[in-house]
């Protein structure tokens, strides 16, 4: 695929001053993802380090890959490996508190409804506990898929894995969630079941 002006591949392989546009495109996504994993303060450092590493590796970027998002998330995920203990501590604290690390100051309408807040807090606590106990490779895949929105090919690219490995690890991670959080995976009932 040709490198077109203002594509990610163009920004990575072009003049160094263009690289900043990648930060504008993806910095917020990388920050949100890492803040959920290790907290806001460390997330800022990790995003900055991600772009420093990406800038130093830009001459090795495959310009046939137009979208740099999986590449950047792959770099960030590698950097997060150094902070595995901090991530588990963060998830354990979330498990105890039930407070979303990116939760706002209560300005959202849903936050004003007590029942929803209690249900969400319990689900958040349970989910954090499952994530903290999950093997690191499964947690990486699951969170890149759910929080960063990477699809299977992007996951394979970001983590340097075969597509089959992505599918099997993600399947195992989802299976752990189904076992640990059965209320969130209850089969739906058909509206017409009672009319038979």
């Amino acid at each position: 695929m040709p490198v077109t002006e203002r594509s990610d591949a163009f920004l990575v392989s072009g003049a160094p001053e263009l690289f900043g546009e990648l930060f504008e495109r993806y910095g917020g996504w990388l920050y949100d993802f890492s803040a959920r994993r290790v907290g806001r303060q460390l997330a800022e450092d990790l995003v900055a380090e991600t772009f420093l590493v990406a800038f130093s590796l830009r001459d090795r970027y495959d310009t046939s890959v137009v979208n740099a998002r999986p590449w950047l998330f792959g770099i960030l995920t590698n950097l997060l490996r150094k902070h595995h203990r901090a991530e588990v501590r963060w998830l354990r604290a979330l498990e105890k508190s039930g407070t979303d690390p990116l939760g706002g100051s209560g300005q959202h309408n849903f936050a004003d409804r007590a029942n929803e807040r209690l249900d969400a807090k319990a689900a958040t606590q349970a989910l954090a506990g499952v994530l903290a106990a999950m093997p690191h490779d499964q947690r990486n895949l699951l969170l890149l898929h759910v929080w960063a929105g990477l699809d299977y090919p992007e996951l394979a690219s970001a983590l340097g894995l075969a597509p089959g490995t992505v599918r099997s690890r993600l399947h195992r991670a989802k299976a752990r969630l189904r076992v640990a959080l059965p209320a969130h995976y209850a089969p739906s009932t058909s509206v017409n079941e009672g009319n038979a």
Side-chain angles (χ1 to χ4, degrees):
M1 184 171 281
V3 176
T4 59
E5 189 172 338
R6 297 299 186 231
S7 70
D8 290 353
F10 174 78
L11 297 176
V12 172
S13 63
E17 58 270 10
L18 296 175
F19 200 82
E21 286 187 43
L22 281 179
F23 181 83
E24 296 298 321
R25 288 183 186 176
Y26 299 114
W29 290 12
L30 295 167
Y31 173 80
D32 288 348
F33 177 74
S34 57
R36 282 195 163 114
R37 294 192 67 178
V38 295
R40 292 178 189 267
Q41 185 175 359
L42 187 52
E44 291 177 10
D45 296 339
L46 284 168
V47 171
E49 191 175 353
T50 297
F51 281 97
L52 285 172
V53 169
F55 187 78
S56 72
L57 297 174
R58 72 187 188 283
D59 60 327
R60 291 195 248 161
Y61 184 78
D62 179 2
T63 56
S64 69
V65 180
V66 178
N67 183 354
R69 187 172 75 132
W71 179 60
L72 292 169
F73 272 106
I75 293 169
L76 176 61
T77 300
N78 286 333
L79 294 172
L80 279 165
R81 285 189 183 123
K82 298 178 194 173
H83 301 284
H84 174 72
R85 286 190 200 107
E87 179 181 23
V88 171
R89 275 195 310 273
W90 184 254
L91 288 168
R92 293 292 180 206
L94 179 59
E95 179 183 22
K96 289 177 185 164
S97 71
T99 304
D100 184 347
L102 294 184
S105 58
Q107 298 172 357
H108 304 287
N109 291 337
F110 66 85
D112 296 330
R113 297 168 66 187
N115 285 340
E116 288 181 16
R117 282 197 330 234
L118 290 173
D119 290 345
K121 182 177 180 177
T124 299
Q125 288 173 303
L127 178 61
V130 173
L131 290 173
M134 191 175 283
H136 192 66
D137 61 342
Q138 288 178 17
R139 183 172 57 240
N140 277 337
L141 270 169
L142 181 68
L143 297 182
L144 282 168
H145 184 60
V146 175
W147 286 344
L150 298 184
D151 60 22
Y152 283 46
E154 290 173 324
L155 288 166
S157 174
L159 299 174
L161 298 171
T165 303
V166 168
R167 279 191 298 278
S168 64
R169 286 185 186 174
L170 201 51
H171 175 76
R172 285 191 297 265
K174 289 177 180 180
R176 282 178 175 270
L177 290 176
R178 278 191 292 278
V179 168
L181 306 168
H184 297 281
Y185 288 95
S188 59
T189 57
S190 172
V191 175
N192 297 323
E193 281 181 4
N195 299 332

